Amino acid sequence: MTRRQLLHTVLLSGLAKELASLQGAETFRAFPGTRFREYSKCYPEYLSGLAGEFADQRDAEIAKLTSSGAIASRQKWVKEKLIEVIGGMPHPTPLNASHTKTLRRIGYEVRNYVYESRPKLLVSANLYVPTSGNAPFPAVVFQSGHYWEGKAYPSYQRFCQGLVQLGFVVLAFDPMGQGERINYLDASGKKSRLPNCDAEHTLPGKQMILFGDTCTRFQLWDAIRSVDFLTSFPFVDPKRIGGTGHSGGGTLSMLLAAVETRLSAVAVCMGNIENVAARSFRPPGSADDAEQNLIDSCSQGLDRWDLFYPFAPKPMMV
């Protein structure tokens, strides 16, 4: 123990005894704020206290869900609140899709496309199409996790190849900052100058917040427009559209399921289901990637687990 720590302990101990003797031990109360230990812990402990309070408030709302009407109301509220906290939804604009190449394989084709989720904002995608069977086919929107290769990550290619050989049309598109959509190019013009693809999301995500936008809205809108693109083909059955994704793509699948009514089934693989409003909250409570942080949602009673509500009673695998 340092001399400073010893002095601090003695002074606090003496002060507590003096107050107790003056007012009576039964009337002595702790300061109604974050108790002092170390300067570096004051703010984190303050945030933890807030998270606990928000958890109590949210638990009270969840406890009211004792009827189908109450659950339906919660579903509607979650969808509307999510759209509100991410900054609203843009207006649809022409996709201006361009088919660049086709790779022919045994039993299926891989068609390379580029389309615009917003004017001049290009999304690169692979469309896996069966070459046998009867159309219209069921289809799946696949959302990639955080790998530099995006849709071209080897395991993701095998996954999409497996689905198309089972008779599904599959659309796999690159998220922002991955695959063919790297934004912060180095001098070579081929690779990112940032340390990882998470930074390709979070660096612009921080900047978006400054003018009222969010990375969540950016990526969710890409996914919604990808559903628009997928359902534009006559060989796709618009009543049998599924959504899936892994890791960051699993989280985006949760977000898409919360707002996209055209999906019939969803499989979430390793998505982020950590609540912020929690008694075990560890500050700052944010995820690695900007799109997974719902800005100011905690104080409004919306948390990550709430994203599952709007999709019920449709089938979902987690």
Side-chain angles (χ1 to χ4, degrees):
M1 180 179 290
T2 65
R3 288 176 294 176
R4 180 171 180 169
Q5 289 172 326
L6 176 62
L7 180 61
H8 175 255
T9 302
V10 171
L11 286 175
L12 285 183
S13 176
L15 178 61
K17 290 179 180 178
E18 183 66 22
L19 288 173
S21 64
L22 292 175
Q23 301 176 3
E26 69 281 355
T27 64
F28 179 70
R29 296 289 183 272
F31 178 74
T34 302
R35 60 192 182 89
F36 173 81
R37 290 191 302 184
E38 298 177 30
Y39 288 127
S40 62
K41 293 183 178 180
C42 289
Y43 187 56
E45 289 189 2
Y46 170 72
L47 293 178
S48 296
L50 288 180
E53 293 176 12
F54 294 144
D56 291 337
Q57 294 172 17
R58 182 171 175 272
D59 287 349
E61 292 299 318
I62 298 299
K64 298 176 183 177
L65 304 181
T66 57
S67 67
S68 58
I71 292 173
S73 178
R74 180 74 177 182
Q75 290 177 301
K76 181 175 182 292
W77 179 85
V78 168
K79 180 178 179 179
E80 293 175 350
K81 183 59 67 174
L82 172 63
I83 292 175
E84 176 188 326
V85 299
I86 67 175
M89 285 295 168
H91 295 292
T93 52
L95 288 166
N96 296 327
S98 176
H99 177 208
T100 61
K101 185 170 61 175
T102 296
L103 305 173
R104 290 178 174 81
R105 300 293 182 259
I106 299 174
Y108 66 94
E109 294 179 345
V110 184
R111 303 179 186 178
N112 300 150
Y113 282 95
V114 175
Y115 48 90
E116 298 180 7
S117 60
R118 304 191 205 186
K120 306 299 182 181
L121 181 62
L122 301 179
V123 178
S124 47
N126 291 339
L127 186 71
Y128 296 75
V129 183
T131 52
S132 62
N134 298 318
F137 299 102
V140 175
V141 176
F142 178 75
Q143 303 196 79
S144 302
H146 299 139
Y147 295 95
W148 277 123
E149 302 94 330
K151 65 185 182 317
Y153 183 63
S155 293
Y156 295 162
Q157 291 191 60
R158 287 193 290 270
F159 177 81
C160 295
Q161 290 164 3
L163 283 178
V164 71
Q165 292 178 79
L166 291 172
F168 291 89
V169 174
V170 185
L171 179 68
F173 64 95
D174 283 325
M176 64 183 294
Q178 296 173 238
E180 299 175 87
R181 298 182 67 190
I182 293 174
N183 294 305
Y184 297 87
L185 293 169
D186 63 10
S188 72
K190 297 180 180 180
K191 296 182 179 180
S192 174
R193 64 177 183 267
L194 302 182
N196 50 58
C197 58
D198 300 67
E200 280 271 346
H201 299 181
T202 301
L203 181 59
K206 294 175 181 177
Q207 296 169 333
M208 289 177 187
I209 294 173
L210 296 178
F211 62 94
D213 203 347
T214 62
C215 193
T216 314
R217 181 172 86 144
F218 188 109
Q219 296 216 52
L220 180 55
W221 188 245
D222 279 356
I224 291 173
R225 296 316 316 271
S226 294
V227 176
D228 291 340
F229 178 67
L230 180 60
T231 55
S232 69
F233 292 95
F235 51 80
V236 169
D237 186 348
K239 295 183 179 179
R240 292 188 293 166
I241 305 295
T244 190
H246 165 251
S247 189
T251 305
L252 288 173
S253 295
M254 293 163 55
L255 290 162
L256 184 61
V259 301
E260 181 53 80
T261 59
R262 290 172 291 181
L263 297 182
S264 299
V266 169
V268 176
C269 180
M270 297 174 67
N272 187 348
I273 57 172
E274 176 193 24
N275 274 351
V276 177
R279 289 159 200 83
S280 57
F281 177 81
R282 293 186 177 183
S286 60
D288 296 357
D289 300 82
E291 74 274 9
Q292 299 185 32
N293 297 310
L294 306 178
I295 307 301
D296 197 32
S297 62
C298 189
S299 63
Q300 300 187 53
L302 177 71
D303 223 325
R304 293 185 182 120
W305 284 7
D306 287 306
L307 299 176
F308 292 121
Y309 274 93
F311 199 69
K314 295 178 182 178
M316 175 182 282
M317 176 184 288
V318 180

